[in-house]
Amino acid sequence: MKITVDFEECLQDSPRFRATIEEVEGDVCELESKLDKLVKLCIGMIDAGKAYNAANKQFVNGIRELAQQSTRDEVIESSLTKFAESLQEMINYHTILFDQVQRSIKTQLQTFVKDDIRKFKEAKKHFDKVSEEKEGALIKNAQAPRNKQHEVEEATNILTATRKCFRHIVLDYVLQINVLQSKRRSEILKSMLSFMYAHLTFFHQGYDLFSELQPLMKQLGGQLDLLVVDAAKEKRDMEQKHSTIQQKDFSNDDTKLEYNVDADHGIAMEGYLFKRASNAFKTWNRRWFSIQNNQLVYQKKFKDNPTVVVEDLRLCTVKHCEDVERRFCFEVVSPTKSCMMQADSEKLRQAWIKAVQNSIATAFRDKGDDGDLDRKSSTSTGSLDSAGEPKERSIKGESALQRVLAIPGNTCCCDCGQPDPRWASINLGITLCIQCSGIHRSLGVHFSKVRSLTLDTWEPELLKLMCELGNGVINQIYEARREELGSRKPQPGDPRHEVEAYIKAKYVDRRFVRRPTDEELRDKVVSLSKQEKRLSSSSEHLPPRPPPPTPKLRPGQSVKSKDSGIQNSADGSREMLATTASNSSLTDADAAESPPMPMPSTLPPPSPCKEVVFYEPKEYSSGLQLYWAACARSLPDMAEALAHGAVVNWVNTEDDKRTPLIMAVQGSSLVTCEFLLQNAANVNQQDAQGRGPLHHATMLGHTGQVCLFLKRGANQNAADIDEKTPLIIAVDAANADIVTLLRLAKMNEEMREAEGPYSQSGDETYQDIFQDFTQMASNDPDKLNRYQQYDAPRP
């Protein structure tokens, strides 16, 4: 009901006016309560709708997964995929509906309550106040004594002024009431009409969507009727076969095992036998044996590669074994070994003996190319190694794809061998095909970080990381025991589930990684510490000299990362992008054909921080290997340590609680820092002196590392035990480049905080400057040669 107040009535301040005002105030109060309730109900409805959308989205994902699982049934796969797409569209329509409801109900009505009703309340406060003042003036005027003229005049003046003020206030109040009463109708109707139109659009969209889907649904309905009839028919046929087979006599079933030289797939005979192991316990295991291609092989599971017992039946003989405790045993004897087997019955034993003898005779009659008789017998699996890695190619062009594929072994997928890969795992340093990249992405970023070689942008330090490792290096680590364990490596075109199982076994379970002995681990750590010492001594005593040619390496020998391009050395060291992988992935022949590895013309200056000294540790671990490998700039040894289970943030409690990332800073290598950060190293972890990697990079004057750490979220406000932040250290060392970077980063951080949580990722000028520093640090470090050694405070 619309309640209006007459302007003439309000000036008289009559009881009728007061009653009307009281009624209006009660009506507005109730209106505000109802609107608040409606807004809260709208918010609850929107939240429930979003929860419904989230649950519906999970359901649609379940339909997609079911469709992927049904790839062999084209009808189910295509139908489920189409249904999932339609349901996803409905989810999108729901999302749009909830957004429109929020704008039409919540936003509009809240605005009406906050603006118009708030103005009404403020006008009411002024009206109540001036009403009280008028009432007081009337009482005072009435009480003024006749014989006190000055009090009478004062009371009269106050009453006159109060009445004048009252008239202004009450006219404004009545105006506000009438405006509110007029506007409430339009606002409420406008909001609800918008709400209803949103629903109209939603249902129209849903109707149109399912109208397009209806022909497919009718077609599937017709197919479903046929499928039901076919299923009933198949069920009857199966029940009939089941009944027929049950009536057969299985007492002599083992006699049906016969030798067939012309059998399909070249399998002359197959069946279960017990095999006595060659270990000290002489255990017996039941395995599925077969005679195929003049070989006797067995396997535990169908998917396992067959294990060859006798590689050439022409070189062996078969005989009964009556001198063992078990029954039905026979032995196949070759020039190098013998194998004891047991059948389930005497008839089966005779059948197997006859089959082996016939296979021997058939093998001698065959005139085809069946191999050299002098080849060695093998008890390992019959699978062969894949072809060797292609020869190293020179880098042509400047694209990430060309640079990465130039590394030996990178022209094929690291896991399945698919040629021409277009994806990479940046924390492992390998190239992948599109199928393997999808499997790697499903493992999670804590195992593998996938990036496109053609679509994504590649930072210089990340490109260097890829060039330092490569498929050859990583496969030597993660597939070291694959052949020994008899595991088959996937090939292009293999089913996805087989490739996925292999990749999980390789990188998640690390099943094929060869664990070092304690002695091997000790030798490795000592060797890495000596390499670091040679680097440090060379930087102090050797004059500038041209890069030496790369020597030939023994298989398995590792080479340190050669980049020191982030060092602001006074003698102008220069870094070039490594175009070959670490030589640890090359054989002697490959190493001889590889071009020399580019080396900096001079080595970094001596470290102003604490000197790195190797002490005999209490315990050798993979974490300690990672620690010294980071200092020695040996990425293959770092990757090996991580594969052996090293914690990337391992703390050396015997050396000021330093971490591998801090040692990478000491080793003057941008690439080793990038490798650790890509593998989840903590950029803010401090040592016993309260110094993080950013402190050490600043003290050493490593501009590139400072730039890298700031981009990765390093805390530049952290102070060490001497209450010195990286900025203070850089100012003391008069390093203008690092001071510029730190102040820019601090200014950008303050700007983002001032703009609030919805600000952009950073100022464009800030990003451009950091990008320029990154390029210079990686490709032209001479431009950053303004190093001033920082003298650490002496105790």
Side-chain angles (χ1 to χ4, degrees):
M1 181 180 66
K2 180 178 178 181
I3 304 174
T4 58
V5 183
D6 185 37
F7 285 99
E8 297 295 337
E9 191 76 28
C10 74
L11 294 177
Q12 297 178 5
D13 196 15
S14 63
R16 186 184 299 108
F17 167 72
R18 290 289 181 170
T20 305
I21 288 297
E22 185 176 352
E23 184 180 0
V24 169
E25 291 173 350
D27 181 64
V28 172
C29 182
E30 185 178 0
L31 173 65
E32 181 182 16
S33 175
K34 297 298 183 184
L35 291 177
D36 285 338
K37 180 180 179 180
L38 185 62
V39 169
K40 290 180 181 178
L41 291 174
C42 177
I43 293 173
M45 178 183 68
I46 293 172
D47 292 340
K50 290 180 179 179
Y52 165 77
N53 267 359
N56 203 358
K57 189 175 294 184
Q58 293 180 353
F59 175 73
V60 171
N61 290 336
I63 295 177
R64 287 198 179 99
E65 292 174 359
L66 180 59
Q68 292 175 358
Q69 192 272 336
S70 307
T71 51
R72 297 181 180 179
D73 193 326
E74 184 178 354
V75 175
I76 293 182
E77 182 189 16
S78 60
S79 302
L80 293 183
T81 302
K82 184 64 177 178
F83 292 160
E85 292 174 355
S86 301
L87 292 175
Q88 182 62 50
E89 281 297 313
M90 288 303 301
I91 293 174
N92 296 337
Y93 296 157
H94 265 112
T95 302
I96 296 172
L97 173 64
F98 295 137
D99 291 339
Q100 292 176 338
V101 168
Q102 184 170 3
R103 287 194 297 269
S104 61
I105 299 294
K106 178 185 173 183
T107 305
Q108 290 185 17
L109 292 184
Q110 275 186 339
T111 302
F112 177 69
V113 171
K114 290 181 179 179
D115 293 345
D116 296 275
I117 296 182
R118 180 175 57 82
K119 291 179 181 179
F120 167 81
K121 288 184 175 181
E122 291 176 355
K124 180 180 179 301
K125 289 181 181 179
H126 293 306
F127 173 74
D128 291 340
K129 182 179 179 182
V130 77
S131 295
E132 291 178 2
E133 292 176 354
K134 177 187 174 186
E135 189 68 26
L138 288 171
I139 294 173
K140 187 174 181 181
N141 182 69
Q143 292 176 348
R146 189 191 305 270
N147 54 355
K148 294 184 179 180
Q149 189 63 29
H150 67 281
E151 291 185 10
V152 172
E153 292 178 358
E154 181 181 358
T156 302
N157 293 335
I158 292 175
L159 179 60
T160 302
T162 304
R163 282 177 172 171
K164 184 177 180 180
C165 181
F166 175 79
R167 283 195 298 271
H168 287 291
I169 296 298
V170 74
L171 286 173
D172 292 342
Y173 186 37
V174 171
L175 175 63
Q176 190 64 40
I177 290 173
N178 292 334
V179 169
L180 179 65
Q181 294 293 348
S182 176
K183 191 174 182 180
R184 63 184 286 185
R185 301 174 67 189
S186 62
E187 289 293 330
I188 293 174
L189 286 177
K190 177 183 176 182
S191 176
M192 291 306 302
L193 187 61
S194 175
F195 175 77
M196 297 307 293
Y197 267 117
H199 278 79
L200 177 64
T201 303
F202 168 73
F203 285 112
H204 264 299
Q205 290 173 331
Y207 176 78
D208 294 340
L209 177 66
F210 279 91
S211 294
E212 296 176 359
L213 193 64
Q214 190 174 11
L216 174 63
M217 296 171 64
K218 288 182 178 180
Q219 179 185 354
L220 290 176
Q223 293 180 0
L224 181 60
D225 295 337
L226 296 177
L227 289 175
V228 171
V229 174
D230 293 342
K233 182 179 178 181
E234 289 180 1
K235 181 180 179 183
R236 288 195 301 270
D237 293 343
M238 292 297 176
E239 289 175 348
Q240 185 177 358
K241 290 181 180 179
H242 177 264
S243 176
T244 303
I245 293 175
Q246 273 190 330
Q247 295 173 2
K248 290 184 178 180
D249 182 13
F250 291 95
S251 59
N252 296 321
D253 186 62
D254 53 7
T255 60
K256 297 181 180 180
L257 188 65
E258 298 179 353
Y259 174 78
N260 184 5
V261 68
D262 297 322
D264 295 337
H265 309 296
I267 300 177
M269 186 172 178
E270 59 183 356
Y272 278 108
L273 293 172
F274 284 92
K275 175 184 177 296
R276 189 176 72 175
S278 58
N279 55 29
F281 300 100
K282 304 296 182 182
T283 55
W284 292 83
N285 300 297
R286 199 163 187 254
R287 298 289 183 262
W288 182 263
F289 279 79
S290 61
I291 299 175
Q292 51 181 306
N293 303 324
N294 296 330
Q295 292 181 334
L296 179 63
V297 300
Y298 72 88
Q299 57 190 136
K300 183 178 180 181
K301 296 180 180 179
F302 177 74
K303 295 182 180 180
D304 293 345
N305 290 325
T307 300
V308 179
V309 178
V310 177
E311 193 165 298
D312 195 331
L313 289 174
R314 291 176 293 179
L315 300 178
C316 71
T317 183
V318 60
K319 64 179 182 177
H320 294 76
C321 290
E322 306 296 345
D323 55 347
V324 295
E325 183 178 354
R326 292 194 171 212
R327 303 175 297 162
F328 319 133
C329 293
F330 64 98
E331 187 176 16
V332 177
V333 182
S334 71
T336 57
K337 62 179 179 178
S338 64
C339 181
M340 181 81 68
M341 287 164 286
Q342 179 188 17
D344 293 337
S345 66
E346 180 61 28
K347 291 182 179 180
L348 286 177
R349 178 171 71 164
Q350 294 298 336
W352 274 102
I353 292 175
K354 183 178 179 181
V356 173
Q357 291 172 343
N358 290 339
S359 296
I360 294 173
T362 301
F364 276 109
R365 287 195 302 268
D366 288 343
K367 300 298 182 179
D369 295 334
D370 41 18
D372 186 5
L373 288 178
D374 294 333
R375 63 184 177 182
K376 297 181 179 179
S377 299
S378 172
T379 59
S380 62
T381 61
S383 61
L384 299 176
D385 293 340
S386 60
E389 300 290 357
K391 292 184 179 181
E392 179 183 2
R393 302 183 303 174
S394 60
I395 296 179
K396 299 179 181 180
E398 295 297 322
S399 69
L401 179 65
Q402 291 173 326
R403 290 176 182 266
V404 174
L405 293 188
I407 306 304
N410 282 11
T411 53
C412 296
C413 174
C414 183
D415 294 328
C416 72
Q418 178 76 33
D420 201 23
R422 287 295 182 268
W423 297 82
S425 174
I426 56 178
N427 63 314
L428 292 172
I430 58 176
T431 57
L432 302 167
C433 66
I434 187 169
Q435 175 177 270
C436 292
S437 70
I439 298 173
H440 272 255
R441 189 177 282 109
S442 68
L443 300 180
V445 294
H446 51 295
F447 286 110
S448 184
K449 298 179 180 179
V450 179
R451 182 175 289 193
S452 171
L453 286 168
T454 56
L455 303 178
D456 291 326
T457 302
W458 286 75
E459 298 82 1
E461 62 270 15
L462 197 54
L463 197 55
K464 288 176 180 289
L465 168 61
M466 294 295 300
C467 294
E468 285 283 344
L469 292 172
N471 296 353
V473 174
I474 297 303
N475 279 341
Q476 280 193 357
I477 297 171
Y478 283 89
E479 295 183 355
R481 299 182 64 237
R482 179 181 61 80
E483 294 183 4
E484 176 186 336
L485 297 176
S487 180
R488 173 183 173 274
K489 185 168 183 174
Q491 302 296 323
D494 282 357
R496 178 186 173 90
H497 65 88
E498 294 183 7
V499 182
E500 184 173 7
Y502 176 81
I503 289 176
K504 287 183 177 179
K506 180 178 177 180
Y507 297 106
V508 179
D509 302 333
R510 299 171 184 169
R511 190 179 303 167
F512 313 128
V513 175
R514 187 182 304 279
R515 309 292 176 179
T517 63
D518 294 341
E519 186 64 26
E520 290 173 343
L521 184 59
R522 181 187 181 280
D523 293 343
K524 173 71 73 173
V525 171
V526 172
S527 173
L528 290 170
S529 66
K530 290 180 179 178
Q531 290 178 21
E532 188 282 328
K533 186 176 181 181
R534 285 197 298 271
L535 285 171
S536 300
S537 61
S538 299
S539 65
E540 294 178 8
H541 305 296
L542 292 181
R545 56 187 176 88
T550 304
K552 290 186 179 181
L553 299 178
R554 294 184 300 274
Q557 184 177 355
S558 62
V559 172
K560 302 175 293 301
S561 167
K562 299 299 187 296
D563 71 301
S564 60
I566 43 76
Q567 174 77 24
N568 291 339
S569 55
D571 50 9
S573 63
R574 180 177 297 275
E575 177 191 40
M576 297 175 64
L577 177 61
T579 59
T580 62
S582 171
N583 290 344
S584 61
S585 64
L586 302 178
T587 60
D588 287 346
D590 293 330
E593 297 176 4
S594 302
M597 181 77 74
M599 291 281 290
S601 59
T602 58
L603 292 168
S607 169
C609 300
K610 176 181 175 182
E611 183 182 357
V612 180
V613 180
F614 177 76
Y615 297 101
E616 187 73 21
K618 297 179 181 178
E619 180 182 4
Y620 287 90
S621 65
S622 55
L624 191 63
Q625 176 181 338
L626 178 64
Y627 182 83
W628 283 107
C631 190
R633 316 174 208 166
S634 178
L635 262 70
D637 288 316
M638 294 171 68
E640 182 184 57
L642 292 176
H644 292 163
V647 178
V648 71
N649 293 312
W650 183 81
V651 175
N652 191 348
T653 55
E654 301 175 22
D655 187 13
D656 276 354
K657 296 184 177 180
R658 293 187 178 187
T659 63
L661 184 56
I662 293 178
M663 295 303 289
V665 177
Q666 297 288 336
S668 307
S669 173
L670 187 66
V671 178
T672 52
C673 293
E674 176 68 17
F675 177 73
L676 291 169
L677 290 172
Q678 289 294 343
N679 285 277
N682 186 353
V683 74
N684 290 314
Q685 189 163 343
Q686 299 176 339
D687 59 12
Q689 305 298 321
R691 296 169 182 161
L694 185 58
H695 279 86
H696 287 272
T698 304
M699 296 171 69
L700 290 166
H702 294 175
T703 308
Q705 289 179 344
V706 170
C707 185
L708 176 65
F709 294 150
L710 289 175
K711 289 194 298 182
R712 297 304 175 84
N715 181 15
Q716 60 170 306
N717 298 318
D720 59 13
I721 59 176
D722 297 323
E723 299 297 327
K724 290 200 172 187
T725 64
L727 181 58
I728 295 176
I729 295 173
V731 171
D732 292 345
N735 193 315
D737 292 330
I738 294 181
V739 170
T740 301
L741 286 174
L742 292 170
R743 287 179 173 169
L744 274 174
K746 189 175 185 66
M747 181 179 64
N748 185 67
E749 182 179 348
E750 292 173 351
M751 290 173 60
R752 292 182 60 187
E753 290 177 355
E755 292 174 2
Y758 302 105
S759 63
Q760 300 298 320
S761 59
D763 179 69
E764 293 183 3
T765 304
Y766 161 82
Q767 294 177 354
D768 292 341
I769 293 175
F770 263 67
Q771 185 176 1
D772 291 342
F773 269 100
T774 300
Q775 294 289 343
M776 283 191 291
S778 297
N779 303 323
D780 198 357
D782 286 347
K783 295 183 179 180
L784 301 179
N785 288 337
R786 293 187 287 273
Y787 175 81
Q788 295 292 331
Q789 181 165 316
Y790 171 74
D791 295 325
R794 301 183 181 277

